[in-house]
Every structure is written in C-alpha cells, then in structure tokens.
Amino acid sequence: AIASGSAISSNLGRLFHVNQQTRTLLIGCAAAGAISSIFKSPIAAIIFAVEVFSLDLTFASLLPLLIASVSSVLTSYFFLGDDLLFNFNFSDKFQIKDTLFYVVLGIGTGFASIYFTKMYFFILQFFERFKTKLLKLIVGGLAIGGMLFLIPPLYGEGFGFINNLMLGNDIEALGNTPFDEHLDNIWIVIGLLFGITIFKAIAMTTTFAAGGTGGIIIPTLVMGSALGNVVAKVINNCGLGFTVSEANFTLIGMAGLIAGVLHA
C-alpha cells in the first residue's frame, strides 16, 4: 500500500511538473496515509513520513501530512469500522528494573537490523546470477518451500503471528511444525522463534528476488516481535530468578528492529 500510494504521488508530481521538494512531500503524504489507514495510527504515520523521507518539520509540510493522515484513517474507519490489525491490550506495566534488559534487546535488534540489511542485498545479488525468470522461480520456490516446511509461521504477512505472541499464545503463533511433539520444552519454542528471526529476512528477500511481491515493514515487525519474545523467554527461563513481561519485550523488539532497518 505504501509503495502503491508513493508511486501514484510520484506520477502526480510528474504530471503537474512540481519541484523535487514538493514531490517528496507528496510521496511522504501518500506513505503517511497508507500507514494511518492500515494501522489506524495517524500520529505515528506522520512521524514515520517525517523520519523516513527526511522531511523538514515545518507548517508547510506538517499541514499536508496531517490532512493526508487524518483523511486516510477516517476513510479506513468508514469502510472497515473498528477492526485493527494489531488488537491487544496491555496487561503488564513497563518496569524501571527492566531497563538494562531493554538496552540488551536494543543492542540485539541493532545487530539484527544489520543482518536484515546485509541478507537483503546478498540474496538479491545471488539471484542476479540466474539468467531466466523461470530459473529464479524454481530456485526461489524450492528455497521458500523448504523454509516453510520447517517453520510454517514464515508463511503469510505475519499479523496473526504477532498478535498471538502479544497475547502469549506461543503454540498458536508457531502453528503446526515438525517439532510439535517437543513444544512442551520451552527451549524448543525459543529455538523455533529464533529461527523465525533468522529466516524471515531470507524468506522475504527470496520472494522478492524470485519475482514475487511484498513489503519490508511487516516482515521487519515479525522479526522484531520474535526476537523480543525470544530475549524475554531466555531471561525468564535461564534460572537466574529474573521475570520480565514477554508482551512488552515483543513490542519493544518490533520497535527496535523497525528503527534499525529504516533508520527511523
């Protein structure tokens, strides 16, 4: 949705022969509108556009962004009602005593974002070796099929996976896997969740490189949610007597990875 809206805005800018600064603002408005309507978060959408597109935060830029964002979220409410992609309630407070653990998670998401970016460009360059689209499709299909067999949650956009992690439904988040008989062992669950952190970037980029379509933001959120949940589970089960909120760490993991990948 973000890419489509940005493309339309860019073409409108060309049609009306506006300057580069105005065209960038148009694209930013489209991105803010898409984020606002998808997630029903108009304020976050404005911040996203300002940071990602490096827009100057002036009245001349803020007013169009605000109009685009509010118009989009109102349109979304009109057609979709109160339905939300991420529908959860906070049950655990953020504790000051957990700050050091959040710092550790932040460093972890920083390294994960570097891994995400490096893997993205590496796989794209790897698939450039294949001369035909059919060969790219075959190699990509086999690779993705193997990953999905071992880690089924890699399939799809990942909204259900994130929602289940936020609600503490680990087994539902993982779905059916070849390791179902061992999911009573928390370390198997941790290993599978960490596998999602590792392989989501590979599956997403392989899809792109093989000729498929998709986005970067949601896979990034999926990776971040899995990593945050893994860190919380390790802390809670390492035997040192610490207890942290897995839901809060899942949320912070998402924020940390999106910040690292988008530099926003």
Side-chain angles (χ1 to χ4, degrees), residues 138-219:
I138 293 173
V139 174
L142 289 173
I144 294 172
M147 286 184 281
L148 292 182
F149 175 77
L150 294 174
I151 312 178
L154 292 174
Y155 179 78
E157 77 289 328
F159 293 128
F161 173 81
I162 295 173
N163 283 329
N164 280 320
L165 282 189
M166 294 295 298
L167 295 172
N169 300 329
D170 303 332
I171 305 303
E172 290 185 31
L174 290 172
N176 296 321
T177 74
F179 308 96
D180 284 352
E181 296 180 359
H182 308 286
L183 291 184
D184 56 337
N185 185 331
I186 188 62
W187 294 103
I188 298 295
V189 174
I190 290 173
L192 288 171
L193 289 173
F194 188 70
I196 292 172
T197 304
I198 297 298
F199 286 100
K200 187 63 177 179
I202 300 174
M204 180 211 73
T205 309
T206 302
T207 301
F208 285 155
T213 59
I216 290 179
I217 293 178
I218 303 304

Side-chain angles (χ1 to χ4, degrees), residues 44-255:
I46 294 173
I47 297 172
F48 172 88
V50 169
E51 286 206 286
V52 171
F53 295 96
S54 300
L55 299 174
D56 293 328
L57 192 58
T58 63
F59 184 77
S61 63
L62 185 59
L63 186 58
L65 288 170
L66 183 61
I67 293 173
S69 184
V70 172
S71 299
S72 294
V73 75
L74 288 176
T75 304
S76 178
Y77 273 114
F78 180 78
F79 284 103
L80 300 177
D82 295 330
D83 292 340
L84 297 173
L85 291 178
F86 300 126
N87 188 15
F88 61 89
N89 295 315
F90 283 105
S91 58
D92 302 320
K93 294 182 179 180
F94 282 85
Q95 304 287 342
I96 296 297
K97 64 181 180 63
D98 296 336
T99 301
L100 183 59
F101 293 127
Y102 288 129
V103 171
V104 173
L105 176 58
I107 295 172
T109 55
F111 280 108
S113 66
I114 295 171
Y115 162 77
F116 184 99
T117 304
K118 296 286 188 182
M119 187 59 66
Y120 179 85
F121 289 111
F122 171 79
I123 293 177
L124 287 181
Q125 291 174 357
F126 174 78
F127 271 82
E128 287 178 357
R129 302 176 182 178
F130 304 121
K131 302 302 181 182
T132 65
K133 292 183 179 180
L134 179 60
L135 187 56
K136 290 182 180 180
L137 182 63
I138 293 173
V139 174
L142 289 173
I144 294 172
M147 286 184 281
L148 292 182
F149 175 77
L150 294 174
I151 312 178
L154 292 174
Y155 179 78
E157 77 289 328
F159 293 128
F161 173 81
I162 295 173
N163 283 329
N164 280 320
L165 282 189
M166 294 295 298
L167 295 172
N169 300 329
D170 303 332
I171 305 303
E172 290 185 31
L174 290 172
N176 296 321
T177 74
F179 308 96
D180 284 352
E181 296 180 359
H182 308 286
L183 291 184
D184 56 337
N185 185 331
I186 188 62
W187 294 103
I188 298 295
V189 174
I190 290 173
L192 288 171
L193 289 173
F194 188 70
I196 292 172
T197 304
I198 297 298
F199 286 100
K200 187 63 177 179
I202 300 174
M204 180 211 73
T205 309
T206 302
T207 301
F208 285 155
T213 59
I216 290 179
I217 293 178
I218 303 304
T220 303
L221 293 178
V222 171
M223 281 183 63
S225 67
L227 180 59
N229 200 269
V230 163
V231 171
K233 280 182 167 57
V234 170
I235 294 170
N236 290 338
N237 293 278
C238 65
L240 297 180
F242 297 109
T243 303
V244 298
S245 166
E246 293 184 5
N248 290 351
F249 269 72
T250 301
L251 185 67
I252 296 300
M254 294 162 62

